């Protein structure tokens, strides 16, 4: 009877310890802040202790099953203490980080996680399973066989079928449009545009080869898409190999007639710092002519879904695929292992550029990160000194253009250094006639006139996420040099109204 109780207890705590150490694989990375406060490597040390405790529990379990000296009650008490500690730490980290970060913890650790899981499986199959009864052998073999069968079926016949993630989004990058859309499986994608000469089909290609991906970006000239009806299509990539290969089901979606932004008397909706929130995007896009995402779409870009769910899907829903979108990178959009995938998938030439709408000249700047490259948060991955120097060199090549000059940036802080001195790009922006910065970053709604600004350029901060289903955003009306800004929450609250008049009236 006592042996049976020992087996049950050690089984329960072994399972709990396995689960929490697997979970802690991601938590330890997500909470580098704890390391910074205590000492570097503290979370890794905790994780190592929990893993060691799990290994000992496996052998305690073997000893309890066999009834031999491998089971030691005195050692089992510390095992319980460390297991409970691992559970408490995991729960604490989960609540501090929020349930929305749970998948991110997994994605941050997915390269290491399988090895730890396989290590535990190896111990189980070599140390535990051989001493179990035959019935357990059969049960385990059946479970493993069923799991392999289900896994194979899911790969061959994916759950949910093959479909688009959302309507497309048309990004204006200053020298043309990028029609961007996503599918839930790898596919080859295209855009079909109807014009006077019939239909034009443009595939998403890389140096002449159709790209097999979930995200597609097809570049078109302004006159190829303006006021024309278009649709998107995708063909599922079943097998992409060097010789042969197989394509599967084809799906299409009619987007409608694309309407370019008017040259004046137009409305712009600015969304910033959505940080993976899930508001009613469609309700925000009814009356705007152009939409701007000012960055920090998520806390980090850990997976394809990080930017599909938080940029491509919202941009498609809010614009309906028939109005232009501008994307400005935020500091959190520079973080995570899938940032290169975001860059290659969007296929923009650069993330700093200039675009013209009538008499309005919009200069889009990439704020980069918000701390020095050596900050502990970045783990040694940052070299934004060089990147900012490249952007500054590009800015120096800009000519002053006659018109109403506006900067679109994630943060106004890119115009001054941490010591409050002006950054090199600040003087350049003043010299080319920039008068207004539209930005985000601080999660506030605020207007600062030029005479109160550190840079001598007025700026308007457009809001940010307040909770899971609400963000504060800003509607801006441009008309003959008068700018009327109105910030609201997605719950309908009015936050701020402000007018700004450009210094010089300008008309063609």
């Amino acid at each position: 009877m006592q042996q049976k109780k020992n087996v049950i207890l050690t089984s329960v705590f072994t399972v709990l310890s396995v689960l929490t150490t697997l979970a802690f694989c991601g938590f330890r990375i997500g909470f580098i802040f704890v390391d910074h406060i205590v000492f570097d490597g503290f979370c890794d040390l905790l994780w190592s202790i929990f893993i060691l405790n799990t290994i000992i529990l496996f052998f305690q379990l073997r000893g309890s099953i066999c009834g031999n000296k491998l089971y030691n009650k005195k050692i089992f008490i510390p095992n319980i203490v460390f297991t409970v500690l691992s559970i408490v730490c995991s729960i604490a980290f989960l609540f501090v980080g929020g349930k929305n970060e749970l998948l991110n913890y997994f994605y941050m650790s997915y390269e290491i996680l399988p090895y730890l899981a396989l290590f535990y499986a190896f111990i189980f199959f070599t140390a535990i399973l051989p001493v179990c009864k035959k019935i357990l052998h059969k049960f385990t073999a059946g479970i493993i066989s069923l799991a392999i069968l289900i896994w194979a079926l899911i790969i061959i016949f994916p759950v949910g079928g093959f479909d688009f993630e959302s309507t497309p989004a048309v990004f204006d990058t200053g020298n043309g449009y990028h029609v961007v859309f996503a599918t839930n499986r790898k596919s080859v994608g295209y855009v079909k545009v109807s014009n006077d000469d019939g239909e034009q089909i443009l595939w998403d290609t890389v140096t002449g080869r159709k790209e097999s991906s979930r995200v597609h970006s097809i570049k078109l000239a302004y006159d190829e898409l303006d006021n024309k009806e278009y649709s998107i299509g995708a063909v599922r990539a079943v097998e992409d190999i060097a010789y042969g290969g197989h394509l599967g089901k084809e799906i299409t979606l009619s987007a409608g007639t694309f309407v370019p932004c008017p040259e004046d008397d137009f409305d712009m909706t600015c969304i910033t710092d959505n940080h993976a929130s899930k508001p009613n995007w469609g309700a925000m896009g009814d009356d705007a002519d152009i939409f701007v995402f000012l960055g920090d779409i998520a806390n980090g870009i850990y997976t394809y879904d990080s930017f599909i769910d938080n940029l491509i899907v919202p941009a498609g829903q809010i614009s309906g695929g028939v109005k232009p979108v501008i994307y400005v990178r935020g500091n959190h959009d520079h973080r995570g292992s899938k940032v290169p995938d975001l860059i290659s998938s969007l296929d923009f030439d650069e993330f700093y550029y200039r675009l013209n709408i009538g008499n309005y000249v919009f200069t889009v700047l990439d704020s980069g990160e918000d701390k020095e490259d050596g900050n502990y948060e970045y783990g040694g991955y940052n070299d934004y000194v060089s990147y900012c120097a490249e952007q500054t060199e590009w800015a120096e090549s800009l000519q002053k253009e006659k018109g109403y000059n506006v900067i679109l940036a994630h943060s106004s802080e890119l115009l001054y250094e941490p010591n409050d001195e002006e950054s090199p790009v600040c003087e350049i922006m003043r010299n080319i006639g920039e008068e207004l910065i539209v930005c985000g970053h601080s999660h506030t709604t605020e207007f600062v006139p030029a005479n109160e600004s550190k840079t001598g350029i007025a700026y308007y901060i457009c809001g940010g996420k307040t909770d899971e289903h609400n963000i504060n955003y800003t509607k801006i009306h441009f008309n003959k040099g008068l700018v009327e800004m109105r910030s609201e929450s997605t719950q309908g609250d009015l936050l701020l109204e402000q007018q700004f008049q450009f210094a010089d009236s300008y008309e063609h």
Side-chain angles (χ1 to χ4, degrees), residues 276-321:
S277 60
K278 307 295 181 188
N280 181 2
W281 295 110
M284 298 167 63
D286 293 342
D287 54 1
D289 299 296
I290 189 168
F291 303 89
V292 180
F293 282 80
L294 286 165
D296 279 9
I297 58 173
N299 290 333
I301 311 301
Y302 304 115
T303 68
Y304 254 71
D305 292 311
S306 296
F307 60 91
I308 290 174
D309 292 345
N310 300 305
L311 176 62
I312 298 172
V313 171
Q317 289 181 351
I318 197 171
S319 69

Side-chain angles (χ1 to χ4, degrees), residues 159-267:
V159 176
F162 173 52
D163 207 349
F164 294 107
E165 294 277 358
S166 80
T167 52
V170 180
F171 291 92
D172 188 340
T173 61
N175 56 5
Y177 297 124
H178 286 257
V179 179
V180 181
F181 61 91
T183 55
N184 60 351
R185 308 287 174 229
K186 278 192 174 183
S187 62
V188 293
Y190 63 87
V191 170
K192 183 185 291 186
V193 182
S194 300
N195 52 45
D196 295 338
D197 298 326
E199 291 182 335
Q200 179 187 18
I201 296 178
L202 298 166
W203 289 89
D204 178 16
T205 61
V206 178
T207 60
R209 190 178 193 271
K210 295 175 184 177
E211 185 171 11
S212 171
S213 175
R214 285 181 59 201
V215 178
H216 298 288
S217 178
I218 296 97
K219 186 174 181 179
L220 296 91
Y222 290 122
D223 59 1
E224 287 183 299
L225 191 60
D226 283 348
N227 300 307
K228 294 181 175 65
E229 187 176 338
Y230 81 100
S231 62
I232 57 172
V235 185
R236 189 180 170 209
V238 178
E239 189 177 35
D240 184 0
I241 54 178
Y243 298 93
H246 298 89
L247 293 173
K249 178 182 177 181
E250 181 175 4
I251 54 176
T252 60
L253 177 67
S254 177
T257 301
F258 182 78
V259 182
C261 185
E263 293 190 348
D264 201 0
D265 194 16
F266 62 87
D267 291 292

Side-chain angles (χ1 to χ4, degrees), residues 178 215 217 301 304 307 327 329 333-334 336 338-351 366 384 387:
H178 286 257
V215 178
S217 178
I301 311 301
Y304 254 71
F307 60 91
Y327 171 52
R329 276 211 296 181
D333 305 341
H334 287 265
K338 293 298 181 182
V339 168
D341 290 328
L342 179 150
I343 295 169
S344 63
S345 294
L346 291 179
D347 198 25
F348 292 3
D349 293 333
E350 298 290 350
F351 286 89
D366 189 340
Y384 284 100
Y387 180 72

Side-chain angles (χ1 to χ4, degrees), residues 67-88:
N68 61 30
K69 62 182 181 180
L70 283 176
Y71 176 78
N72 187 305
K73 189 174 182 180
K74 291 181 180 179
I75 296 176
F76 187 56
I77 293 172
N79 288 150
I80 294 173
V81 172
F82 282 117
T83 303
V84 171
L85 180 61
S86 69
I87 294 169
V88 170

Side-chain angles (χ1 to χ4, degrees), residues 268 270 294 360-365 403-409 412 414-415 429-430 432-439 446-450 453 455-462 474 476-478 481-485 498-503:
M268 173 185 286
C270 297
L294 286 165
Y360 297 87
V361 183
F362 292 96
T363 302
V364 177
L365 296 178
Y404 308 121
N405 288 270
V406 183
I407 296 172
L408 299 176
S412 62
L414 91 161
L415 297 184
M429 291 297 108
R430 276 201 307 268
I432 62 174
E434 301 292 352
E435 293 186 53
L436 176 66
I437 305 171
V438 177
C439 58
E446 181 183 4
F447 175 71
V448 178
S453 168
T455 62
I457 303 173
Y459 61 89
Y460 192 97
I461 304 174
C462 294
T474 298
I476 306 177
H477 183 70
F478 294 88
L482 177 64
V483 182
E484 297 174 296
M485 296 165 282
Q498 180 68 45
Q499 287 190 346
F500 175 83
Q501 178 68 57
F502 282 96

Side-chain angles (χ1 to χ4, degrees), residues 436-505:
L436 176 66
I437 305 171
V438 177
C439 58
H441 186 60
S442 65
H443 292 240
T444 58
T445 304
E446 181 183 4
F447 175 71
V448 178
N451 60 355
E452 296 179 17
S453 168
K454 294 179 183 179
T455 62
I457 303 173
Y459 61 89
Y460 192 97
I461 304 174
C462 294
K465 175 182 177 179
T466 57
D467 61 50
E468 177 64 16
H469 299 290
N470 181 57
I471 61 172
N472 298 332
Y473 66 102
T474 298
K475 297 179 178 180
I476 306 177
H477 183 70
F478 294 88
N479 187 20
K480 293 182 173 60
L482 177 64
V483 182
E484 297 174 296
M485 296 165 282
R486 176 187 173 93
S487 293
E488 302 175 358
S489 74
T490 49
Q491 296 175 344
D493 301 318
L494 175 62
L495 305 171
L496 179 64
E497 287 185 303
Q498 180 68 45
Q499 287 190 346
F500 175 83
Q501 178 68 57
F502 282 96
D504 297 318
S505 178

